[in-house]
Amino acid sequence: MKRFLVLFIGIIALTFSCNKKDHCKGDTIEKIFVANEESGSVTVFDADNGEVLNTVDLTIKNEMYMAHNIQSNPDHEFVWVTAIPMHGHGDELLMKMNSRREKVVQTLSLGEEQHLAHVVTDESGEFVYVTANESGKVFQVDAEKMELKQSFDLGANSGPHGMRMMDGKLYVACMNSFELAIIDLASGTMEKINVGGIAVQTAVLPTLNAAFVSIYDLKEVVKYDITNGDTTRIPLPTDAQGPIQLYPSPDNKKIYVCDQGIVNGNPASNKLYVIDTDSNTVTSTITVGNGAHGVVTSNDGTKIFVTNLADNTVSVISAETLTVIQTINVGTAPNGITALLCSCED
Protein backbone atom coordinates (compact mmCIF):
# COMPACT_ATOMS: atom_id res chain seq x y z
CA MET A 1 0.00 0.00 0.00
CA LYS A 2 2.84 2.38 0.87
CA ARG A 3 4.45 1.91 -2.57
CA PHE A 4 1.06 2.51 -4.18
CA LEU A 5 0.75 5.82 -2.32
CA VAL A 6 4.34 6.85 -3.01
CA LEU A 7 3.61 6.92 -6.73
CA PHE A 8 0.63 9.25 -6.32
CA ILE A 9 2.08 12.60 -5.44
CA GLY A 10 0.41 15.79 -5.83
CA ILE A 11 1.12 19.03 -7.59
CA ILE A 12 0.49 22.57 -6.57
CA ALA A 13 1.28 25.94 -8.13
CA LEU A 14 3.02 28.40 -5.76
CA THR A 15 4.09 32.06 -5.77
CA PHE A 16 6.50 33.59 -3.27
CA SER A 17 9.61 35.69 -2.70
CA CYS A 18 12.93 34.36 -3.96
CA ASN A 19 16.33 34.50 -2.32
CA LYS A 20 18.26 34.02 -5.58
CA LYS A 21 18.60 37.61 -6.81
CA ASP A 22 21.62 36.71 -8.92
CA HIS A 23 19.39 34.53 -11.11
CA CYS A 24 16.89 37.31 -11.77
CA LYS A 25 16.58 38.84 -15.20
CA GLY A 26 14.04 41.47 -14.14
CA ASP A 27 11.62 41.94 -11.28
CA THR A 28 10.81 38.24 -10.92
CA ILE A 29 12.10 34.78 -11.66
CA GLU A 30 9.90 31.73 -12.09
CA LYS A 31 11.24 28.59 -10.49
CA ILE A 32 10.08 25.00 -10.58
CA PHE A 33 10.33 22.82 -7.46
CA VAL A 34 10.38 19.03 -7.90
CA ALA A 35 9.88 16.52 -5.08
CA ASN A 36 12.31 13.64 -5.60
CA GLU A 37 10.66 10.82 -3.68
CA GLU A 38 13.40 8.22 -3.49
CA SER A 39 16.36 10.58 -3.07
CA GLY A 40 14.68 12.55 -0.29
CA SER A 41 15.27 15.92 -1.90
CA VAL A 42 13.74 18.78 -3.82
CA THR A 43 15.25 19.99 -7.10
CA VAL A 44 14.82 23.66 -7.99
CA PHE A 45 15.29 24.88 -11.56
CA ASP A 46 14.72 28.03 -13.58
CA ALA A 47 11.47 27.76 -15.54
CA ASP A 48 12.85 30.02 -18.24
CA ASN A 49 15.97 28.09 -19.22
CA GLY A 50 15.90 24.86 -17.21
CA GLU A 51 19.06 25.67 -15.23
CA VAL A 52 19.17 23.69 -11.98
CA LEU A 53 19.53 26.23 -9.16
CA ASN A 54 19.45 24.16 -6.00
CA THR A 55 18.88 20.77 -4.37
CA VAL A 56 17.23 20.82 -0.94
CA ASP A 57 18.06 17.85 1.31
CA LEU A 58 15.13 16.71 3.46
CA THR A 59 17.22 14.68 5.93
CA ILE A 60 16.47 15.42 9.60
CA LYS A 61 18.57 13.84 12.39
CA ASN A 62 20.05 11.30 9.98
CA GLU A 63 16.59 10.25 8.75
CA MET A 64 15.81 10.80 5.08
CA TYR A 65 12.24 11.94 4.42
CA MET A 66 10.28 11.40 1.25
CA ALA A 67 8.39 14.53 0.18
CA HIS A 68 4.85 13.60 -0.82
CA ASN A 69 3.36 17.00 -1.53
CA ILE A 70 4.13 20.69 -1.23
CA GLN A 71 2.21 23.97 -1.16
CA SER A 72 2.68 27.53 0.00
CA ASN A 73 0.31 29.56 2.16
CA PRO A 74 -1.59 32.49 0.58
CA ASP A 75 0.95 35.17 1.52
CA HIS A 76 3.78 32.87 0.34
CA GLU A 77 5.84 33.26 3.49
CA PHE A 78 5.85 29.53 4.25
CA VAL A 79 5.83 26.27 2.31
CA TRP A 80 4.20 23.11 3.62
CA VAL A 81 5.53 19.61 2.92
CA THR A 82 4.12 16.18 3.82
CA ALA A 83 6.99 13.79 4.53
CA ILE A 84 7.36 10.10 5.36
CA PRO A 85 10.57 8.53 6.75
CA MET A 86 12.43 6.64 4.04
CA HIS A 87 13.60 3.74 6.21
CA GLY A 88 11.39 1.84 8.61
CA HIS A 89 8.61 3.15 10.82
CA GLY A 90 8.54 6.53 12.51
CA ASP A 91 6.75 9.81 12.82
CA GLU A 92 5.29 11.18 9.61
CA LEU A 93 5.72 14.91 9.42
CA LEU A 94 4.10 18.07 8.21
CA MET A 95 7.08 20.34 7.54
CA LYS A 96 6.85 24.11 7.66
CA MET A 97 9.51 25.77 5.54
CA ASN A 98 10.53 29.39 5.36
CA SER A 99 10.03 30.13 1.67
CA ARG A 100 12.82 32.70 1.34
CA ARG A 101 15.48 30.63 3.07
CA GLU A 102 14.15 27.31 1.73
CA LYS A 103 14.69 25.84 5.20
CA VAL A 104 12.50 23.75 7.47
CA VAL A 105 11.69 25.87 10.52
CA GLN A 106 9.08 23.67 12.25
CA THR A 107 7.76 20.14 12.03
CA LEU A 108 4.60 18.54 13.36
CA SER A 109 4.24 14.80 13.84
CA LEU A 110 0.89 13.50 12.64
CA GLY A 111 1.53 9.96 13.81
CA GLU A 112 2.88 6.72 12.37
CA GLU A 113 1.45 4.57 9.59
CA GLN A 114 -0.70 7.45 8.36
CA HIS A 115 0.78 7.56 4.86
CA LEU A 116 0.44 11.33 4.62
CA ALA A 117 -0.33 12.39 1.07
CA HIS A 118 -1.44 15.88 0.01
CA VAL A 119 -1.50 19.26 1.71
CA VAL A 120 -3.46 22.44 0.98
CA THR A 121 -4.27 25.62 2.90
CA ASP A 122 -7.55 27.45 3.18
CA GLU A 123 -8.10 30.75 1.39
CA SER A 124 -6.98 32.80 4.41
CA GLY A 125 -3.94 30.69 5.24
CA GLU A 126 -5.16 30.16 8.79
CA PHE A 127 -5.37 26.39 8.48
CA VAL A 128 -3.46 23.66 6.67
CA TYR A 129 -5.17 20.42 5.59
CA VAL A 130 -3.40 17.07 5.14
CA THR A 131 -4.77 13.79 3.81
CA ALA A 132 -3.82 10.57 5.62
CA ASN A 133 -4.27 7.73 3.16
CA GLU A 134 -4.00 4.83 5.62
CA SER A 135 -6.17 6.14 8.46
CA GLY A 136 -8.79 7.71 6.20
CA LYS A 137 -8.58 11.16 7.72
CA VAL A 138 -8.02 14.77 6.73
CA PHE A 139 -6.12 16.67 9.41
CA GLN A 140 -6.70 20.35 10.12
CA VAL A 141 -3.59 22.12 11.44
CA ASP A 142 -3.26 25.65 12.82
CA ALA A 143 -0.76 27.18 10.39
CA GLU A 144 0.77 29.68 12.81
CA LYS A 145 0.97 27.52 15.93
CA MET A 146 1.64 24.23 14.11
CA GLU A 147 -0.95 22.48 16.25
CA LEU A 148 -3.44 19.83 15.26
CA LYS A 149 -6.93 21.32 15.65
CA GLN A 150 -9.21 18.55 14.47
CA SER A 151 -9.60 15.79 11.91
CA PHE A 152 -12.30 14.83 9.46
CA ASP A 153 -12.92 11.09 9.32
CA LEU A 154 -13.75 9.87 5.82
CA GLY A 155 -13.79 6.23 6.88
CA ALA A 156 -11.06 3.70 7.63
CA ASN A 157 -11.24 2.19 4.14
CA SER A 158 -11.61 5.44 2.18
CA GLY A 159 -7.94 6.06 1.31
CA PRO A 160 -8.02 9.86 0.82
CA HIS A 161 -5.23 11.13 -1.39
CA GLY A 162 -5.22 14.18 -3.68
CA MET A 163 -7.35 17.21 -2.86
CA ARG A 164 -8.03 20.78 -3.91
CA MET A 165 -9.74 23.69 -2.17
CA MET A 166 -12.44 25.95 -3.63
CA ASP A 167 -14.96 28.27 -1.94
CA GLY A 168 -14.42 26.89 1.54
CA LYS A 169 -14.72 23.25 0.53
CA LEU A 170 -12.20 20.46 0.12
CA TYR A 171 -12.57 18.16 -2.88
CA VAL A 172 -10.82 14.93 -1.91
CA ALA A 173 -10.08 11.92 -4.13
CA CYS A 174 -10.56 8.68 -2.17
CA MET A 175 -8.60 5.81 -3.67
CA ASN A 176 -10.06 2.89 -1.73
CA SER A 177 -13.72 3.83 -1.51
CA PHE A 178 -13.91 5.03 -5.14
CA GLU A 179 -15.34 8.38 -4.07
CA LEU A 180 -15.04 12.11 -4.44
CA ALA A 181 -15.51 13.45 -0.92
CA ILE A 182 -16.57 17.08 -0.50
CA ILE A 183 -15.93 18.54 2.96
CA ASP A 184 -17.66 21.80 3.90
CA LEU A 185 -15.12 23.33 6.27
CA ALA A 186 -17.56 25.81 7.81
CA SER A 187 -20.09 23.21 8.88
CA GLY A 188 -17.90 20.11 9.01
CA THR A 189 -20.41 18.20 6.91
CA MET A 190 -19.38 16.07 3.98
CA GLU A 191 -20.85 14.66 0.82
CA LYS A 192 -19.56 11.61 -1.04
CA ILE A 193 -19.98 10.92 -4.75
CA ASN A 194 -19.19 7.44 -6.05
CA VAL A 195 -16.92 7.71 -9.10
CA GLY A 196 -16.64 3.97 -9.73
CA GLY A 197 -12.87 3.46 -9.50
CA ILE A 198 -9.56 4.38 -7.88
CA ALA A 199 -9.78 8.16 -7.47
CA VAL A 200 -6.27 9.65 -7.29
CA GLN A 201 -6.39 13.43 -7.62
CA THR A 202 -8.81 16.28 -8.15
CA ALA A 203 -8.75 19.57 -10.01
CA VAL A 204 -11.21 22.38 -9.36
CA LEU A 205 -12.20 24.87 -12.05
CA PRO A 206 -13.90 28.00 -10.66
CA THR A 207 -15.01 29.30 -14.06
CA LEU A 208 -16.92 26.07 -14.71
CA ASN A 209 -17.94 25.44 -11.09
CA ALA A 210 -16.71 21.90 -11.61
CA ALA A 211 -14.31 19.35 -10.15
CA PHE A 212 -12.40 16.78 -12.19
CA VAL A 213 -11.16 13.46 -10.76
CA SER A 214 -8.57 11.08 -12.25
CA ILE A 215 -9.67 7.41 -12.10
CA TYR A 216 -6.61 5.17 -12.32
CA ASP A 217 -8.03 1.69 -12.90
CA LEU A 218 -10.79 2.76 -15.30
CA LYS A 219 -8.38 4.97 -17.28
CA GLU A 220 -10.70 7.92 -17.38
CA VAL A 221 -11.43 11.30 -15.83
CA VAL A 222 -14.74 12.13 -14.16
CA LYS A 223 -16.15 15.65 -14.31
CA TYR A 224 -18.46 16.61 -11.42
CA ASP A 225 -20.77 19.58 -11.95
CA ILE A 226 -20.95 21.31 -8.57
CA THR A 227 -24.08 23.25 -9.51
CA ASN A 228 -26.37 20.35 -10.34
CA GLY A 229 -24.45 17.25 -9.20
CA ASP A 230 -24.18 15.73 -12.66
CA THR A 231 -21.17 13.59 -13.55
CA THR A 232 -19.59 13.15 -16.97
CA ARG A 233 -17.14 10.34 -17.72
CA ILE A 234 -14.26 11.22 -20.04
CA PRO A 235 -12.51 8.11 -21.41
CA LEU A 236 -8.79 8.27 -22.14
CA PRO A 237 -7.30 6.67 -25.28
CA THR A 238 -7.30 2.88 -25.45
CA ASP A 239 -3.56 2.61 -24.83
CA ALA A 240 -3.75 4.55 -21.53
CA GLN A 241 -2.13 2.80 -18.56
CA GLY A 242 -3.61 4.74 -15.65
CA PRO A 243 -3.95 8.49 -14.99
CA ILE A 244 -2.47 10.07 -11.88
CA GLN A 245 -2.12 13.84 -11.53
CA LEU A 246 -4.13 16.40 -13.48
CA TYR A 247 -3.93 20.17 -13.64
CA PRO A 248 -5.98 22.89 -15.38
CA SER A 249 -4.70 25.56 -17.72
CA PRO A 250 -4.94 29.05 -16.20
CA ASP A 251 -8.00 29.85 -18.33
CA ASN A 252 -9.70 26.58 -17.28
CA LYS A 253 -10.19 25.61 -20.92
CA LYS A 254 -7.94 22.55 -20.71
CA ILE A 255 -7.03 19.83 -18.24
CA TYR A 256 -3.59 18.23 -18.52
CA VAL A 257 -3.62 14.58 -17.39
CA CYS A 258 -0.52 12.48 -16.63
CA ASP A 259 -0.87 8.83 -17.65
CA GLN A 260 1.63 7.07 -15.40
CA GLY A 261 0.85 3.37 -15.33
CA ILE A 262 3.35 1.30 -13.28
CA VAL A 263 0.94 0.53 -10.42
CA ASN A 264 -1.15 -2.69 -10.30
CA GLY A 265 1.03 -4.41 -12.89
CA ASN A 266 0.54 -1.82 -15.62
CA PRO A 267 3.56 -0.85 -17.72
CA ALA A 268 4.97 2.66 -17.45
CA SER A 269 3.28 5.14 -19.76
CA ASN A 270 4.89 8.17 -21.39
CA LYS A 271 1.77 10.13 -22.28
CA LEU A 272 0.27 13.46 -21.25
CA TYR A 273 -3.33 13.89 -22.39
CA VAL A 274 -5.05 17.20 -23.04
CA ILE A 275 -8.78 17.39 -22.27
CA ASP A 276 -10.94 20.16 -23.69
CA THR A 277 -13.24 21.21 -20.82
CA ASP A 278 -15.96 22.45 -23.19
CA SER A 279 -16.38 19.24 -25.19
CA ASN A 280 -15.14 16.93 -22.37
CA THR A 281 -12.94 15.00 -24.79
CA VAL A 282 -9.25 14.23 -25.17
CA THR A 283 -8.02 16.47 -27.97
CA SER A 284 -4.25 15.85 -27.90
CA THR A 285 -1.69 13.30 -26.75
CA ILE A 286 1.89 14.38 -25.96
CA THR A 287 4.78 11.92 -25.62
CA VAL A 288 6.89 12.72 -22.54
CA GLY A 289 9.15 10.56 -20.34
CA ASN A 290 8.37 7.19 -18.78
CA GLY A 291 6.07 7.13 -15.77
CA ALA A 292 4.48 10.55 -16.34
CA HIS A 293 3.29 11.52 -12.89
CA GLY A 294 3.05 15.17 -11.79
CA VAL A 295 2.04 18.16 -13.88
CA VAL A 296 1.86 21.92 -13.43
CA THR A 297 1.81 24.95 -15.73
CA SER A 298 3.93 28.06 -15.66
CA ASN A 299 2.29 31.13 -14.14
CA ASP A 300 1.37 32.49 -17.59
CA GLY A 301 0.30 29.10 -18.92
CA THR A 302 2.80 29.06 -21.79
CA LYS A 303 4.68 26.02 -20.49
CA ILE A 304 3.67 22.69 -19.00
CA PHE A 305 6.02 20.73 -16.72
CA VAL A 306 5.71 16.95 -16.23
CA THR A 307 7.69 14.74 -13.84
CA ASN A 308 8.77 11.41 -15.31
CA LEU A 309 8.90 8.97 -12.41
CA ALA A 310 10.80 6.19 -14.18
CA ASP A 311 13.31 8.43 -16.01
CA ASN A 312 14.28 10.87 -13.21
CA THR A 313 13.52 13.79 -15.50
CA VAL A 314 11.08 16.63 -16.09
CA SER A 315 9.63 17.28 -19.54
CA VAL A 316 9.07 20.93 -20.48
CA ILE A 317 6.25 21.36 -23.01
CA SER A 318 5.18 24.34 -25.09
CA ALA A 319 1.49 24.93 -24.42
CA GLU A 320 1.17 26.48 -27.88
CA THR A 321 2.68 23.67 -29.96
CA LEU A 322 2.09 20.83 -27.43
CA THR A 323 5.61 19.51 -28.03
CA VAL A 324 8.46 18.79 -25.62
CA ILE A 325 11.01 21.58 -25.86
CA GLN A 326 13.39 20.50 -23.09
CA THR A 327 14.15 17.57 -20.78
CA ILE A 328 15.74 18.30 -17.39
CA ASN A 329 17.54 15.78 -15.18
CA VAL A 330 16.39 15.90 -11.55
CA GLY A 331 16.52 13.50 -8.56
CA THR A 332 15.37 9.93 -8.15
CA ALA A 333 11.68 9.18 -8.76
CA PRO A 334 10.41 12.75 -9.22
CA ASN A 335 6.77 13.06 -8.25
CA GLY A 336 5.20 16.33 -7.10
CA ILE A 337 6.05 19.50 -8.98
CA THR A 338 5.28 23.15 -8.32
CA ALA A 339 5.69 26.44 -10.19
CA LEU A 340 6.86 29.46 -8.18
CA LEU A 341 6.88 33.06 -9.38
CA CYS A 342 9.53 34.68 -7.18
CA SER A 343 9.98 38.39 -6.56
CA CYS A 344 13.55 39.65 -6.89
CA GLU A 345 12.89 42.57 -4.56
CA ASP A 346 14.06 42.39 -0.95
Side-chain angles (χ1 to χ4, degrees), residues 286 301-304 316-326:
I286 306 164
T302 61
K303 290 182 179 179
I304 309 158
V316 184
I317 300 159
S318 165
E320 179 180 5
T321 64
L322 298 181
T323 57
V324 175
I325 56 177
Q326 191 175 15

Side-chain angles (χ1 to χ4, degrees), residues 171-200:
Y171 294 81
V172 186
C174 296
M175 293 165 49
N176 298 345
S177 61
F178 301 170
E179 293 171 325
L180 168 65
I182 305 173
I183 304 173
D184 187 314
L185 298 173
S187 64
T189 59
M190 66 182 70
E191 178 185 4
K192 296 181 178 180
I193 296 92
N194 190 298
V195 292
I198 300 172
V200 180

Side-chain angles (χ1 to χ4, degrees), residues 282-293:
V282 174
T283 55
S284 299
T285 299
I286 306 164
T287 299
V288 291
N290 292 309
H293 178 92

Side-chain angles (χ1 to χ4, degrees), residues 2 4 6 17 26 44-45 70 95 98 106 112 140 173 175 180 200 206 215 231 234 264 307 310 314 323 339 342:
K2 185 171 183 177
F4 188 80
V6 162
S17 296
V44 185
F45 66 85
I70 184 170
M95 296 182 176
N98 180 286
Q106 285 181 285
E112 298 186 17
Q140 182 190 54
M175 293 165 49
L180 168 65
V200 180
I215 312 298
T231 58
I234 306 171
N264 289 355
T307 58
V314 171
T323 57
C342 304

Side-chain angles (χ1 to χ4, degrees), residues 24 85 106 113 122 148 157 233 235 239 260 308:
C24 289
Q106 285 181 285
E113 300 297 328
D122 60 15
L148 179 63
N157 297 316
R233 312 197 78 88
D239 61 348
Q260 176 187 279
N308 304 309

Side-chain angles (χ1 to χ4, degrees), residues 19-264:
N19 62 357
K20 300 279 187 182
K21 289 189 68 175
D22 54 323
H23 293 292
C24 289
K25 304 171 183 63
D27 294 333
T28 60
I29 177 176
E30 186 164 21
K31 299 192 299 183
I32 305 299
F33 277 39
V34 181
N36 304 309
E37 188 82 24
E38 293 183 8
S39 55
S41 66
V42 173
T43 298
V44 185
F45 66 85
D46 189 324
D48 181 55
N49 57 26
E51 176 189 0
V52 174
L53 306 175
N54 194 12
T55 300
V56 181
D57 185 2
L58 298 181
T59 300
I60 298 177
K61 295 182 179 180
N62 297 319
E63 178 65 63
M64 181 184 294
Y65 282 86
M66 302 181 293
H68 277 234
N69 198 224
I70 184 170
Q71 181 177 326
S72 73
N73 63 345
D75 64 11
H76 317 299
E77 182 180 1
F78 297 105
V79 176
W80 308 92
V81 183
T82 52
I84 293 178
M86 179 74 76
H87 302 105
H89 302 288
D91 288 346
E92 300 181 19
L93 304 178
L94 173 64
M95 296 182 176
K96 182 179 183 180
M97 298 180 65
N98 180 286
S99 59
R100 288 187 61 85
R101 292 184 290 155
E102 298 171 0
K103 179 180 180 180
V104 176
V105 293
Q106 285 181 285
T107 63
L108 173 66
S109 172
L110 291 173
E112 298 186 17
E113 300 297 328
Q114 296 291 331
H115 294 170
L116 301 181
H118 281 224
V119 55
V120 298
T121 71
D122 60 15
E123 288 90 340
S124 68
E126 181 180 5
F127 295 109
V128 181
Y129 298 88
V130 180
T131 51
N133 185 266
E134 191 68 20
S135 64
K137 296 179 179 179
V138 176
F139 295 116
Q140 182 190 54
V141 174
D142 184 297
E144 181 179 0
K145 297 178 180 179
M146 280 293 277
E147 295 177 352
L148 179 63
K149 301 300 292 184
Q150 64 174 322
S151 61
F152 301 93
D153 192 348
L154 278 66
N157 297 316
S158 58
H161 185 257
M163 61 179 168
R164 294 285 189 259
M165 168 89 64
M166 185 171 67
D167 296 334
K169 295 182 179 180
L170 286 174
Y171 294 81
V172 186
C174 296
M175 293 165 49
N176 298 345
S177 61
F178 301 170
E179 293 171 325
L180 168 65
I182 305 173
I183 304 173
D184 187 314
L185 298 173
S187 64
T189 59
M190 66 182 70
E191 178 185 4
K192 296 181 178 180
I193 296 92
N194 190 298
V195 292
I198 300 172
V200 180
Q201 175 59 307
T202 64
V204 290
L205 282 68
T207 61
L208 300 181
N209 202 31
F212 288 74
V213 188
S214 57
I215 312 298
Y216 181 85
D217 54 334
L218 301 182
K219 303 171 186 178
E220 62 185 15
V221 171
V222 170
K223 176 183 177 181
Y224 174 72
D225 189 314
I226 297 169
T227 302
N228 57 28
D230 290 345
T231 58
T232 302
R233 312 197 78 88
I234 306 171
L236 300 179
T238 56
D239 61 348
Q241 297 301 324
I244 304 295
Q245 305 298 348
L246 68 171
Y247 198 83
S249 61
D251 61 8
N252 286 187
K253 292 182 179 180
K254 297 176 181 178
I255 294 281
Y256 303 111
V257 183
C258 284
D259 185 51
Q260 176 187 279
I262 299 179
V263 180
N264 289 355

